[in-house]
Amino acid sequence: MELKLGANIAALRKAKGMTQEQLAAALGISSPAVSKWETNSSYPDITLLCPLARVLDTNVDMLLNYEKILSSDVIEQKLNEILSVARVGRYQEAGNTLANLLHQYPASVELKYEAAGIFTVFEAVCPDATREEKKNWKMQKKELLYAVYKSGVTEYWQPAATALAAMAVLENDLEEAERLLGELPELTSDPTIIRMELYLRRGERRRAVELIQNRLLQLARQIQTCMTCLLDEKLEPDAERALEIGELSRQFESLFFNRTQLSDALKIDLYRRIGKPAEMIENLCWYLETLEVPMQSLNRTLFSAIEIKPESSEELKKLQQIIYMTMQKACKSDDYKNSPAFCEAMKKLKDSLSERK
């Protein structure tokens, strides 16, 4: 156990968007004193602990919290437990548990970053949540991402800035989006090959293989995203070209992934857009019937060193529920109601959900 007072003060100060000078002014002390606290060169006088806690919106217990280092594995375990509670409809309980965890470890930037993603998952697995609850989740997600962004921690501030820029675009706050994107560094070179050579010269062959395979997977997913963007209706691709891009996307995925549902879903939407209900229903039926295939299974020849965690039955059930409800709402026209194949596929999916209860 270690006293992480300096790290706690720095994290809480940055989360409030305060500078060291502003915190010092609020306490009536010099800014160098705050700097010394945060680097553990000295500690606050005992008479300042209560005012310091009030300014940082916490309490003395949390400020002086002796905490174990929260490892990535422990963070993943705790957040998975929270998600398990949310998936069975107890998302308010899950939210309270998450808030307590964040309060318990205020200096963990990694926890803040990973917790921000939990609120996105909440929206997906809690379709019956109220509009006000969803608005609150979005607000909490944004607050966490800004705290991570302001922390300046190299590993997390850039993805946090990217996520915040995406939220700003959706909210039509284009100036903020441009500001955030402007702070991201331009990629001028890729050090992957140099790092691979470094590992090989150290005799760390396994590590070199993992590095290359993870970089390849990252690039494959980026290309997959770009190809999907080319199909955006706002870019106005014509029907023939859109189908060709969709087929190329499927071919590309087949090189890296044994099975994904992205190209299947894209094909369904493409047939809807170009007014071919028969082809859409055919692909939709196949899509529904193959939901039990893992969402994404990597090509083991290319990605032998990457561990893929299988989806749990609970995750699969929730995915089926979301798709079933979506199909019920979206497919109300006679084109679907009069299709025996579509009705049979929906019945099969409903029966599967009943069996999993």
Side-chain angles (χ1 to χ4, degrees):
M1 308 283 273
E2 61 175 311
L3 178 60
K4 301 179 68 176
L5 178 58
N8 284 354
I9 293 173
L12 291 166
R13 172 181 63 77
K14 291 174 182 177
K16 285 183 63 64
M18 297 180 71
T19 64
Q20 290 182 341
E21 290 75 13
Q22 288 171 329
L23 177 58
L27 296 172
I29 60 173
S30 67
S31 55
V34 174
S35 177
K36 289 181 180 180
W37 294 348
E38 294 185 358
T39 57
N40 290 320
S41 298
S42 66
Y43 294 107
D45 186 274
I46 191 170
T47 59
L48 287 173
L49 291 179
C50 286
L52 177 60
R54 283 196 296 271
V55 170
L56 296 176
D57 288 335
T58 186
N59 57 57
V60 174
D61 287 341
M62 291 299 173
L63 197 62
L64 297 176
N65 186 30
Y66 283 85
E67 63 180 43
K68 295 179 180 178
I69 295 174
L70 204 59
S71 68
S72 297
D73 289 342
V74 172
I75 289 175
E76 182 180 4
Q77 176 191 338
K78 290 182 178 294
L79 294 184
N80 282 337
E81 290 171 358
I82 290 171
L83 280 178
S84 297
V85 174
R87 286 192 180 99
V88 295
R90 292 154 46 200
Y91 49 85
Q92 291 180 340
E93 177 185 339
N96 290 336
T97 304
L98 181 59
N100 289 334
L101 183 63
L102 288 164
H103 196 56
Q104 187 178 357
Y105 297 96
S108 177
V109 175
E110 181 181 2
L111 175 61
K112 288 185 176 72
Y113 178 73
E114 298 297 341
I118 293 294
F119 290 109
T120 301
V121 180
F122 277 4
E123 289 194 58
V125 302
C126 306
D128 58 336
T130 66
R131 180 178 298 180
E132 188 62 30
E133 286 169 331
K134 292 180 179 179
K135 181 180 178 181
N136 186 48
W137 291 340
K138 184 178 292 185
M139 180 186 68
Q140 292 182 71
K141 175 183 176 180
K142 184 183 290 188
E143 289 176 352
L144 286 170
L145 287 173
Y146 267 113
V148 174
Y149 164 69
K150 292 174 182 176
S151 74
V153 176
T154 304
E155 186 177 358
Y156 298 106
W157 84 264
Q158 291 186 29
T162 303
L164 286 167
M167 293 181 73
V169 169
L170 291 174
E171 294 168 1
N172 211 33
D173 188 354
L174 304 186
E175 289 186 7
E176 176 67 357
E178 189 167 7
R179 183 190 72 80
L180 289 163
L181 291 173
E183 294 190 5
L184 295 175
E186 292 289 337
L187 183 62
T188 56
S189 62
D190 185 350
T192 302
I193 303 302
I194 301 173
R195 195 176 294 278
M196 179 196 74
E197 290 291 344
L198 171 66
Y199 292 153
L200 289 174
R201 294 190 182 214
R202 285 178 177 170
E204 300 174 338
R205 179 186 172 279
R206 174 73 180 181
R207 195 173 179 185
V209 171
E210 290 176 353
L211 171 75
I212 293 297
Q213 291 188 4
N214 276 292
R215 182 59 176 151
L216 178 61
L217 179 58
Q218 181 185 43
L219 291 171
R221 286 175 171 160
Q222 288 176 353
I223 293 173
Q224 190 179 33
T225 300
C226 289
M227 295 183 79
T228 302
C229 289
L230 286 175
L231 294 170
D232 193 310
E233 287 183 274
K234 294 188 288 293
L235 296 181
E236 300 181 353
D238 59 64
E240 184 176 344
R241 180 168 171 269
L243 287 173
E244 288 179 0
I245 294 173
E247 177 57 23
L248 288 172
S249 176
R250 186 197 64 77
Q251 292 176 18
F252 174 81
E253 287 179 5
S254 69
L255 294 173
F256 298 94
F257 313 110
N258 293 331
R259 160 84 171 136
T260 78
Q261 293 182 1
L262 178 59
S263 59
D264 301 334
L266 286 174
K267 186 181 293 186
I268 293 167
D269 188 54
L270 284 173
Y271 282 128
R272 175 193 64 79
R273 282 162 50 183
I274 64 178
K276 292 189 175 182
E279 288 84 349
M280 176 183 173
I281 291 171
E282 180 183 352
N283 282 274
L284 180 58
C285 291
W286 184 84
Y287 179 70
L288 292 175
E289 291 170 359
T290 57
L291 278 175
E292 297 201 15
V293 178
M295 177 73 82
Q296 194 169 62
S297 178
L298 296 181
N299 182 323
R300 300 314 297 170
T301 301
L302 292 173
F303 303 110
S304 58
I306 298 179
E307 180 183 356
I308 300 296
K309 295 181 180 179
E311 293 173 304
S312 68
S313 58
E314 188 174 325
E315 290 173 327
L316 180 59
K317 176 184 175 181
K318 200 65 187 181
L319 172 65
Q320 290 177 327
Q321 287 174 331
I322 293 171
I323 292 176
Y324 182 73
M325 289 187 292
T326 301
M327 293 299 142
Q328 275 190 317
K329 292 177 181 178
C331 303
K332 295 181 178 180
S333 72
D334 291 339
D335 288 332
Y336 305 106
K337 293 178 181 178
N338 296 334
S339 168
F342 176 76
C343 294
E344 179 60 28
M346 289 293 285
K347 181 180 182 301
K348 182 177 180 180
L349 180 57
K350 183 178 181 181
D351 292 343
S352 175
L353 289 170
S354 300
E355 291 170 4
R356 290 176 179 272
K357 288 183 178 180

